[in-house]
Amino acid sequence: MSTATLPSTETEAHTHEHHHELPWYRKYVFSTDHKVISKQFMLSSLFFLFIGGAFALFIRWQLAYPGTKIPLVGSILPATWVTEPGSGIITPEFYAQLLTMHGSIMIFFVVIPLALGMFGNFCIPLMIGTDDMALPRLNMWSFWLVPPAGLIMMAGFFTETGYATAGWTSYPPLSASIQLPTFTISGQTLWLISVFLVGFSSIMGSVNYVTTVLNKRAKGMKLFDMPLTVWALFITAIMAVLGTPVLAAGLAMLFMDNFLHTSFFLPDNLVTNSKYFGGGQPVLFQHVFWFYSHPAVYIMILPLMGIVSDVLATFSRKPVYGYKAMVFAIAGIAFLGFIVWGHHMFQSGMNPLLGTTFMLSTIVIAVPSSIKVFNWLGTLWRGNIKFTSAMLNALAFVSMFIIGGLSGVFMASAPVDIYIHDTYFIVAHIHYVLFGGSLFGIFAGIYYWYPKMFGKMLNEAWGRKHFYWTFVTFNLTFFPMHILGVGGHMRRIYDPNVYDFLKGLGGINEFITIAAITLGFSQLFLISNILWSMKFGKKAPRNPWHANTLEWAAPEHPGHGNFDMDITVYRGPYEFSVPGRELDYWPQWEQGEAISAHHNTVAVPIENETRTFGAH
Amino acid sequence: MSSALNLSHEPVTRVRHGKFAMWAFLASELMFFAGFFGTFIVLRNTNYAAFGEGSAQLSWPLALVNTFILIGSSLTMAMCIYHLERGNNKLFRLFMGLTIMGGFGFLIVKYLEYSSKWEHGLFPGQEHHTLFFSFYFLMTGFHALHVVGGMIPMAYMFFRSYTKRGYKHPGKVETLGLYWHFVDLMWIFIFPALYLMIPYAVAGAGAHH
Amino acid sequence: MGDILHVLDMLAWFPENISTYGAELDNLFAIIYWVSVAIFFLTFGILGYLLVKYRYSPDRKGYNYHGNNLVEVTWTILPTFLFAAIGLYSDDIWERTKYSKRVPQADVEIIVLGKTFGWTFLYPGSDGKFGRNAYTDRTARHLMSTTNIFGIDSTDPTGMDDFTTENQFRVPVNSNIVVRGSSIDVLHSFFLPHARVKQDVVPGTWMNIWFNLFKTGDYELACAELCGGGHYSMRAEYKVVSMADYDTWLDKKNAEAKAARSPQSLPAAPADTVAVASH
Amino acid sequence: MSDDHGSIIPAYMKVFYALCAFTVLTVAAAKWMHFPESWGTTGDILHVGIGIVIAVMKVVMVMWIFMHLKFDQPMLRFFVFVPVFLFFVMSFALNFLEVWTYTR
Ligand code: HEA
Ligand code: HEA
Ligand code: CUA
Ligand SMILES: [Cu+2]
């Protein structure tokens, strides 16, 4: 048993902490320890999840019961948000602000920071067996840009125009606010600054991840010995490094259009009374925006694909099926992700010829995605499956991603997209991939690594409750949205009852809202579980899931420096249930016969493999 | 205890962390300017005449001077890394000083250019502003910010070299050097794109401003 | 049970289709839908089977198996063919509905401008020809203003019978309607749910939109691109009428337009002077 | 560093002189090379093309020598190739197909 051979770490961890004697603010606030930074990302994002979620519930109330008073909080809403003070009925303008803030917060302050910031920070150094990131100080800054950015975005509330209103996609000319005088600080300019800052944060983080993965792997760890989580984070980081700056360029230009009334995205002959110069192209912004934001949707899901692969392997006690194919599929998705951005613009007025090319490349993305799905199924095949909370969430990821991905194929077909573009079909897709995919993946990761993060076990019974409630109400909330979409219900509309052809859909809207409220409150299980277990949870053993990857070689609650022993990697990350061994797992760090990760049959000795990439 | 462990070993790729990260960051920077150039090309093609007029109003001799300044400071930067690596603090200081002066020189010329643009009413919001000048201020502005960003650590290193121990981190200088060459490199594209490639006036596409 | 099936049968929820190519789009949707349903049941079936069959049992171990290249290649190639087929078939339809060179010969041509928050239509009148305006002549764009959003050159006699309508329009049944769309402020999207038409209209550019409707009746036009607080209310109504009815209507509008604008009264502001079409 | 075999300074100086020369050349080409009016946009394309070719040559020299790509791990070159590739993809999509729609 591997853990038996390890030194007891209790005392050592203590001497270690005394040794450094960092002041408290260096330990918990401006810490350079990747684990602390990871927790900071986690807490700030969960906080934003609640804000974004609360906004969503406002949206839902309005759609189900247009023009009625919002219960509970209606009477205390600020006067600018409601039709008249105390009425509790939100205005159309505020509705637009709500959906903009909901989308922006969920994407820029919840999923990206969780997927890339939290898991990137936590998993990479531990899973490659090193003490910290390559550049810890840079890492600290990559977190500390996020809270100010969040505050800046929320500060839109104090401007005259309120929050940004142009949707999370913020297409000009609507987002160029030319009717405002120059040098106005509006919700939109703050939005632009804020997103610029989080973008910079993810660039800094990603630069660090790329360097760390390539430079700091433990002795003996080839690239193809890395767990899929690390692979996925690594490739995602590359995408972020290359994609984010393009968005930043677009934001800079849009900022100038807002603040100085330049006209990068404003054409001649806009019939307005204000002064601007013309000559620009509105559709150009969409190109620049989606050049980043399509890759960004993969930034939001690839890390979770890696995590889910690890969780599935661990709890079905089986190697990941087709490890190498999985790596190539991730790389393939990442590459293709950069050449499909136009599928958001089929109806935007770009050249239809481009529509053809983007449609074909988009449909091709379904191929690496299917490879991943089938390999996950293959991983379960002949396993010995334990339904822990982490596993349940991982399975939900797989199944919900299938649904969300399939609805993606509808939209990828440009002629079909003519009708469903900008309807609730898209909203259903968004939430199936982002909530059903990313967020379930994030939950899986949290349940899986919580013991290593906090040294305590989460309460399993509550975890399951959280899962079942979430899974059921999630589907009740978002599946009917497909139907709304097929019925022609446009997205981003304040009151569907204006249209005769939408009159029959009110019942569905109501149903969705009730489910959504339940869904929102189901999240309280998660939050209370996290907070309660930090203090009162059972103490976690070193390797609670009997997993193979290196983070489980670290002490129960690793301190600065992570490991209490030298790490050498002897085999791939997924040697579960090796025949002839008593234990059904075989950690990467445990000495013994070496096995590589990616051969196709049972146990081939390492001598037959040529070590290529960066071996020591 | 962690000091006894060998977790933080030699970089696997044999490229220092800082340098590696800088290259990754430069890839990012390349994409940042790629976004500007991408839109620039499109809008130049659709506002052919206006871009021609705007471009003709810029002062290419000043920009030419600036090009030489930047090339020169790139050279001195390369030199100062060379000398610091060989432990020659004096020559390091000399070349670092020259590089900083290059940066200052560049900014001064830029200031002259900008103030003449201000006088001619070419700033955003002023009457003769056109889309071309939006690009001009966008690209040269971000470039100038990059220059300033490079000069701050340079100044730090420069003043540290006056302390008793001198400045002892050739690695950091090398990393900064990469950045500085990148700034030079971007200028090598910006210079012809804005100042020299004046679109031919094409008949029929009359100017609208 | 029947009700549940109805809810799950997504195809039943489409609003009635009234355009010629709409049937093709719906059909393509249905094809992808049934393929997806099949994939759904396939994958979920396998998943459910695996989860039940291989659930935890203390006296069993997992299987140390890393995968098989042949299997891997198979399940790469099969979906590739499937998706390639969907892609190629889709492209065929796409070209026919959207490519500019495939826009058919117009029986009726209309210009539409979106503005916050409404739609204005310009009809060429009974001569079927537009006069000089911002669409027909790029150099007339400088005439565009808040009172003359189409940039109509009122000195051009061809445009004498051109008339506008607000938030309402009419088209004849069984004819090729070609709409040239643009916007005067922000992006809007010209969405005819029943006709399966959607096209963003972009200020500064003219979009080609075309359709051919086979059923008469009253329908709605919606805006499908967020354009501000009033986005939800940017609605218009349209009537699909028989050719004969359409002609009578045209004549009536022409008479009105001519009466409102004698050739001498120079800077005409059509949007203001022309009475809104009464249906 | 890999420049231990003899000094690298001559190489630096050569690059510096070449950069200066190319700078003069690009100005000269832009200012004194004219194509007949009748060539229309072809003239502009040539004009721009020459400028770009010279700029690319300059930049390659800077990266190859000043930024040590010649001497360092070849892997670092990917940090240049990949963005350049993506830039081409982006520009292609934006221009070669897009302009046609916009100017319609
Ligand atoms: C995590 C986020 C995420 C992910 C992973 C995806 C994945 C995909 N998305 Fe999605 N998308 C978004 C987030 C995401 N998307 C968001 C946020 C928007 C809206 C933005 C906005 O406008 O606000 C959007 C919008 C969007 C559009 C624009 C729609 C419109 O506005 O009109 C399109 C169009 O093509 C699209 C397509 C796809 C496709 C083809 C995939 C593919 O990657 C899916 C591939 C997966 C599968 C295909 C399923 C698995 C495969 C199988 C089960 C095997 C099949 C088996 C056999 C064939 C045998 N997406
Ligand atoms: C990860 C991303 C993510 C997540 C998790 C969610 C979660 C939810 N989303 Fe959202 N959504 C987006 C990303 C996301 N969304 C994006 C990108 C858009 C497009 C925006 C745009 O058009 O620009 C969008 C748009 C969008 C719309 C369309 C708006 C429109 O077009 O008009 C709707 C409508 O129903 C909606 C609903 C919901 C609901 C009900 C949830 C629920 O899952 C929320 C569940 C709630 C919580 C998790 C928080 C729990 C909170 C509490 C328990 C506290 C309760 C307290 C009070 C009420 C005071 N979302
Ligand atoms: Cu116009 Cu929405
Ligand atoms: Cu996309």
Side-chain angles (χ1 to χ4, degrees):
Chain A
M1 172 91 196
S2 62
T3 42
T5 61
L6 298 172
S8 147
T9 51
E10 269 309 279
T11 48
E12 285 186 353
H14 269 276
T15 43
H16 173 62
E17 269 161 39
H18 283 289
H19 181 66
H20 275 281
E21 288 205 74
L22 290 167
W24 64 270
Y25 63 88
R26 285 292 311 279
K27 245 179 16 215
Y28 301 112
V29 185
F30 295 105
S31 170
T32 54
D33 182 357
H34 71 102
K35 297 181 295 302
V36 177
I37 295 172
S38 156
K39 289 178 208 170
Q40 289 172 329
F41 268 116
M42 171 170 161
L43 293 179
S44 89
S45 301
L46 287 178
F47 169 75
F48 280 117
L49 175 66
F50 268 66
I51 298 189
F55 282 179
L57 298 186
F58 281 92
I59 293 178
R60 280 316 321 165
W61 185 267
Q62 168 61 28
L63 286 171
Y65 310 105
T68 58
K69 184 176 168 146
I70 300 209
L72 304 179
V73 291
S75 44
I76 53 167
L77 291 180
T80 45
W81 292 3
V82 287
T83 48
E84 52 192 90
S87 73
I89 302 169
I90 60 176
T91 62
E93 287 74 24
F94 180 55
Y95 181 84
Q97 298 177 17
L98 276 177
L99 70 93
T100 304
M101 294 308 278
H102 167 67
S104 316
I105 288 179
M106 287 298 192
I107 285 181
F108 296 116
F109 291 98
V110 177
V111 179
I112 293 181
L114 282 174
L116 206 54
M118 168 191 177
F119 288 118
N121 267 305
F122 189 77
C123 298
I124 289 177
L126 279 168
M127 292 182 109
I128 63 173
T130 186
D131 53 350
D132 206 330
M133 284 288 174
L135 303 154
R137 197 110 45 93
L138 186 69
N139 205 22
M140 176 184 92
W141 283 113
S142 90
F143 171 73
W144 278 109
L145 277 182
V146 174
L151 289 180
I152 290 174
M153 189 179 278
M154 304 299 285
F157 172 64
F158 299 104
T159 64
E160 228 167 286
T161 48
Y163 297 129
T165 58
W168 84 279
T169 51
S170 89
Y171 287 173
L174 181 59
S175 60
S177 17
I178 38 177
Q179 69 284 3
L180 299 176
T182 39
F183 302 113
T184 312
I185 306 259
S186 63
Q188 189 64 45
T189 47
L190 291 175
W191 187 94
L192 290 165
I193 295 171
S194 165
V195 176
F196 195 95
L197 288 181
V198 273
F200 202 62
S201 146
S202 56
I203 291 175
M204 296 201 309
S206 302
V207 159
N208 216 340
Y209 303 162
V210 174
T211 312
T212 308
V213 168
L214 289 178
N215 259 354
K216 293 199 74 174
R217 272 167 291 134
K219 256 211 330 267
M221 186 177 240
K222 293 169 297 162
L223 282 179
F224 280 109
D225 285 337
M226 299 195 305
L228 284 172
T229 303
V230 179
W231 262 115
L233 284 163
F234 172 56
I235 291 172
T236 308
I238 295 176
M239 293 185 85
V241 164
L242 297 171
T244 321
V246 179
L247 175 71
L251 296 175
M253 289 187 269
L254 189 54
F255 182 82
M256 281 175 72
D257 280 2
N258 261 279
F259 205 61
L260 307 170
H261 286 197
T262 57
S263 55
F264 295 108
F265 305 123
L266 301 175
D268 295 333
N269 299 87
L270 282 188
V271 179
T272 73
N273 295 320
S274 45
K275 187 165 156 28
Y276 75 100
F277 302 95
Q281 300 287 0
V283 179
L284 204 49
F285 178 80
Q286 300 181 23
H287 277 293
V288 175
F289 181 83
W290 290 116
F291 188 90
Y292 164 73
S293 290
H294 183 80
V297 308
Y298 294 114
I299 290 175
M300 290 186 274
I301 204 147
L302 288 181
L304 291 324
M305 288 185 167
I307 287 169
V308 161
S309 310
D310 275 17
V311 173
L312 288 184
T314 305
F315 292 113
S316 44
R317 315 310 292 164
K318 267 202 63 192
V320 166
Y321 199 96
Y323 169 85
K324 262 201 170 165
M326 288 296 238
V327 174
F328 292 137
I330 296 176
I333 293 175
F335 171 74
L336 290 170
F338 272 107
I339 57 170
V340 301
W341 76 87
H343 65 217
H344 296 271
M345 301 169 57
F346 287 140
Q347 322 310 331
S348 72
M350 79 176 174
N351 191 331
L353 191 58
L354 273 179
T356 295
T357 45
F358 280 125
M359 164 167 65
L360 295 177
S361 58
T362 302
I363 290 181
V364 170
I365 285 209
V367 174
S369 309
S370 352
I371 296 178
K372 297 211 70 91
V373 169
F374 291 133
N375 277 320
W376 285 323
L377 295 180
T379 307
L380 296 173
W381 171 68
R382 294 186 68 175
N384 197 13
I385 303 169
K386 273 196 196 129
F387 294 99
T388 57
S389 325
M391 185 64 167
L392 287 171
N393 280 290
L395 291 169
F397 174 98
V398 174
S399 48
M400 295 302 101
F401 174 71
I402 294 175
I403 299 182
L406 288 175
S407 67
V409 176
F410 284 78
M411 296 133 55
S413 166
V416 174
D417 188 64
I418 295 176
Y419 178 67
I420 56 182
H421 171 67
D422 267 338
T423 64
Y424 264 73
F425 202 88
I426 312 297
V427 179
H429 168 73
I430 296 179
H431 292 93
Y432 264 91
V433 282
L434 278 173
F435 195 135
S438 308
L439 218 49
F440 275 120
I442 286 164
F443 293 157
I446 290 179
Y447 284 115
Y448 187 66
W449 279 300
Y450 190 90
K452 190 74 19 186
M453 279 180 117
F454 294 96
K456 299 285 176 65
M457 302 299 285
L458 279 172
N459 184 320
E460 187 64 27
W462 278 46
R464 277 170 208 227
K465 263 206 200 75
H466 169 240
F467 170 75
Y468 288 119
W469 276 95
T470 309
F471 187 75
V472 172
T473 50
F474 163 79
N475 280 291
L476 293 180
T477 307
F478 296 112
F479 195 82
M481 288 190 183
H482 292 105
I483 294 172
L484 289 183
V486 170
H489 192 311
M490 289 81 71
R491 56 192 285 209
R492 299 169 168 179
I493 56 171
Y494 168 74
D495 181 359
N497 293 340
V498 168
Y499 293 91
D500 292 335
F501 74 100
L502 297 180
K503 290 249 161 80
L505 300 172
I508 301 182
N509 259 331
E510 236 175 282
F511 177 83
I512 292 176
T513 297
I514 295 167
I517 294 172
T518 330
L519 172 61
F521 283 93
S522 309
Q523 304 317 310
L524 295 178
F525 285 121
L526 175 73
I527 300 291
S528 35
N529 198 354
I530 288 179
L531 295 179
W532 187 86
S533 303
M534 266 183 210
K535 189 112 185 116
F536 306 109
K538 221 168 50 179
K539 254 178 127 318
R542 194 175 268 244
N543 189 353
W545 316 123
H546 300 287
N548 286 338
T549 40
L550 296 177
E551 74 273 28
W552 307 108
E556 288 79 355
H557 189 192
H560 213 289
N562 290 348
F563 292 95
D564 50 8
M565 57 178 179
D566 264 329
I567 298 287
T568 307
V569 172
Y570 295 96
R571 64 190 66 75
Y574 301 117
E575 287 314 320
F576 289 106
S577 311
V578 176
R581 270 179 68 84
E582 193 190 335
L583 292 171
D584 70 347
Y585 64 110
W586 201 0
Q588 287 190 279
W589 66 89
E590 199 176 280
Q591 227 159 341
E593 190 192 2
I595 296 183
S596 97
H598 53 279
H599 58 79
N600 281 327
T601 42
V602 186
V604 172
I606 195 76
E607 288 79 47
N608 300 353
E609 290 278 332
T610 39
R611 295 182 152 248
T612 43
F613 238 116
H616 295 264
Chain B
M1 61 155 217
S2 58
S3 52
L5 297 178
N6 182 23
L7 293 169
S8 199
H9 43 70
E10 270 282 287
V12 177
T13 58
R14 283 183 233 95
V15 181
R16 278 181 311 98
H17 299 329
K19 180 168 164 185
F20 201 95
M22 180 51 84
W23 267 108
F25 179 67
L26 292 185
S28 194
E29 289 273 38
L30 275 172
M31 289 311 292
F32 184 59
F33 281 93
F36 291 152
F37 277 104
T39 44
F40 176 76
I41 297 168
V42 172
L43 293 180
R44 180 186 187 273
N45 287 343
T46 49
N47 293 272
Y48 207 65
F51 272 51
E53 267 170 43
S55 187
Q57 274 169 279
L58 297 181
S59 158
W60 64 266
L62 278 184
L64 182 62
V65 172
N66 255 351
T67 310
F68 283 123
I69 292 180
L70 270 195
I71 294 175
S73 82
S74 237
L75 175 72
T76 53
M77 184 44 118
M79 296 288 213
C80 89
I81 300 164
Y82 178 88
H83 289 298
L84 189 61
E85 265 161 3
R86 278 150 193 77
N88 192 334
N89 201 42
K90 276 229 181 69
L91 279 177
F92 162 72
R93 190 187 303 151
L94 171 73
F95 281 109
M96 185 55 102
L98 284 174
T99 314
I100 294 174
M101 272 167 57
F104 267 118
F106 181 88
L107 291 177
I108 290 168
V109 175
K110 202 84 256 155
Y111 170 76
L112 294 177
E113 266 192 271
Y114 275 17
S115 53
S116 100
K117 299 291 165 295
W118 175 265
E119 275 157 28
H120 289 88
L122 295 169
F123 266 58
Q126 290 181 316
E127 53 185 328
H128 298 302
H129 183 82
T130 64
L131 187 53
F132 175 81
F133 288 100
S134 305
F135 268 112
Y136 169 76
F137 288 112
L138 177 79
M139 300 224 239
T140 58
F142 267 104
H143 182 263
L145 279 182
H146 278 80
V147 172
V148 175
M151 285 169 65
I152 294 169
M154 277 186 209
Y156 172 78
M157 290 167 181
F158 181 70
F159 288 116
R160 281 296 296 272
S161 72
Y162 278 98
T163 59
K164 229 189 269 117
R165 293 181 55 244
Y167 191 71
K168 283 265 153 51
H169 306 285
K172 288 191 178 159
V173 183
E174 192 197 3
T175 307
L176 181 64
L178 285 176
Y179 172 85
W180 193 251
H181 296 311
F182 171 82
V183 174
D184 179 23
L185 187 150
M186 261 6 276
W187 183 257
I188 289 177
F189 282 116
I190 290 175
F191 173 50
L194 290 179
Y195 293 82
L196 297 181
M197 297 175 184
I198 300 176
Y200 283 29
V202 171
H208 18 242
H209 293 288
Chain C
M1 192 62 207
D3 285 353
I4 295 175
L5 276 183
H6 175 68
V7 170
L8 289 184
D9 179 10
M10 234 177 261
L11 305 174
W13 289 87
F14 275 104
E16 181 194 14
N17 167 48
I18 57 164
S19 88
T20 47
Y21 60 66
E24 255 180 309
L25 303 190
D26 287 2
N27 187 36
L28 181 56
F29 186 99
I31 292 174
I32 301 181
Y33 177 70
W34 289 118
V35 170
S36 297
V37 168
I39 295 174
F40 174 84
F41 279 112
L42 180 77
T43 46
F44 274 62
I46 296 174
L47 184 64
Y49 169 80
L50 293 173
L51 293 184
V52 174
K53 172 120 197 249
Y54 299 111
R55 68 185 180 279
Y56 181 74
S57 140
D59 38 47
R60 208 155 45 79
K61 259 188 159 189
Y63 176 37
N64 184 276
Y65 187 73
H66 288 263
N68 177 313
N69 284 342
L70 195 65
V71 174
E72 216 69 66
V73 170
T74 317
W75 68 38
T76 309
I77 288 182
L78 284 184
T80 310
F81 281 122
L82 179 72
F83 291 130
I86 293 178
L88 293 178
Y89 180 51
S90 300
D91 184 50
D92 182 44
I93 300 178
W94 175 248
E95 289 189 16
R96 275 182 288 128
T97 47
K98 285 272 178 171
Y99 273 31
S100 306
K101 60 171 188 268
R102 297 291 196 93
V103 173
Q105 188 66 40
D107 296 326
V108 173
E109 205 177 358
I110 310 173
I111 298 179
V112 60
L113 280 181
K115 61 172 193 290
T116 49
F117 300 99
W119 301 95
T120 312
F121 302 86
L122 181 67
Y123 276 82
S126 36
D127 64 352
K129 279 208 198 82
F130 289 109
R132 180 167 183 261
N133 62 32
Y135 169 68
T136 53
D137 184 352
R138 276 171 68 91
T139 59
R141 284 194 297 175
H142 68 275
L143 295 173
M144 287 170 79
S145 73
T146 39
T147 47
N148 181 8
I149 58 176
F150 289 98
I152 292 175
D153 177 359
S154 46
T155 57
D156 182 2
T158 343
M160 218 61 342
D161 57 348
D162 296 3
F163 64 92
T164 63
T165 63
E166 293 264 358
N167 289 331
Q168 287 179 333
F169 71 109
R170 272 183 201 218
V171 288
V173 73
N174 292 330
S175 339
N176 290 328
I177 322 287
V178 177
V179 179
R180 317 288 180 180
S182 188
S183 160
I184 61 166
D185 38 40
V186 299
L187 300 177
H188 302 281
S189 193
F190 186 86
F191 180 30
L192 306 178
H194 299 88
R196 312 291 188 260
V197 169
K198 189 179 285 130
Q199 175 63 59
D200 289 9
V201 289
V202 182
T205 315
W206 292 96
M207 297 297 155
N208 295 318
I209 305 165
W210 74 273
F211 44 89
N212 187 329
L213 310 177
F214 58 71
K215 189 158 182 288
T216 56
D218 292 358
Y219 302 98
E220 288 171 290
L221 159 66
C223 174
E225 183 69 62
L226 180 63
C227 50
H231 162 59
Y232 74 101
S233 59
M234 191 165 158
R235 168 180 177 274
E237 290 169 356
Y238 68 104
K239 273 189 192 322
V240 185
V241 295
S242 71
M243 204 60 188
D245 287 355
Y246 181 72
D247 284 337
T248 358
W249 179 73
L250 265 192
D251 290 343
K252 191 174 125 233
K253 299 307 283 184
N254 277 335
E256 281 174 19
K258 286 231 173 73
R261 188 169 19 152
S262 63
Q264 284 78 14
S265 73
L266 260 180
D272 296 336
T273 52
V274 177
V276 167
S278 57
H279 267 259
Chain D
M1 291 311 310
S2 315
D3 53 349
D4 286 333
H5 325 284
S7 170
I8 195 175
I9 298 230
Y12 283 166
M13 293 313 292
K14 263 186 229 150
V15 169
F16 174 69
Y17 294 134
L19 286 175
C20 292
F22 274 132
T23 305
V24 174
L25 189 68
T26 192
V27 174
K31 291 292 156 199
W32 290 293
M33 200 155 63
H34 281 293
F35 300 100
E37 198 79 349
S38 56
W39 289 22
T41 40
T42 318
D44 184 58
I45 291 170
L46 279 174
H47 183 79
V48 169
I50 291 169
I52 291 179
V53 167
I54 297 177
V56 167
M57 290 198 295
K58 288 165 77 179
V59 160
V60 167
M61 283 191 294
V62 171
M63 291 197 290
W64 200 239
I65 306 295
F66 280 179
M67 295 172 90
H68 290 190
L69 274 191
K70 181 180 174 193
F71 317 107
D72 275 338
Q73 296 285 322
M75 174 198 257
L76 293 180
R77 295 171 200 170
F78 277 99
F79 288 122
V80 182
F81 293 148
V82 178
V84 168
F85 169 77
L86 287 179
F87 175 66
F88 276 113
V89 171
M90 182 163 68
S91 304
F92 183 78
L94 295 188
N95 287 281
F96 290 83
L97 294 162
E98 197 68 59
V99 165
W100 179 79
T101 335
Y102 282 145
T103 49
R104 197 177 32 181

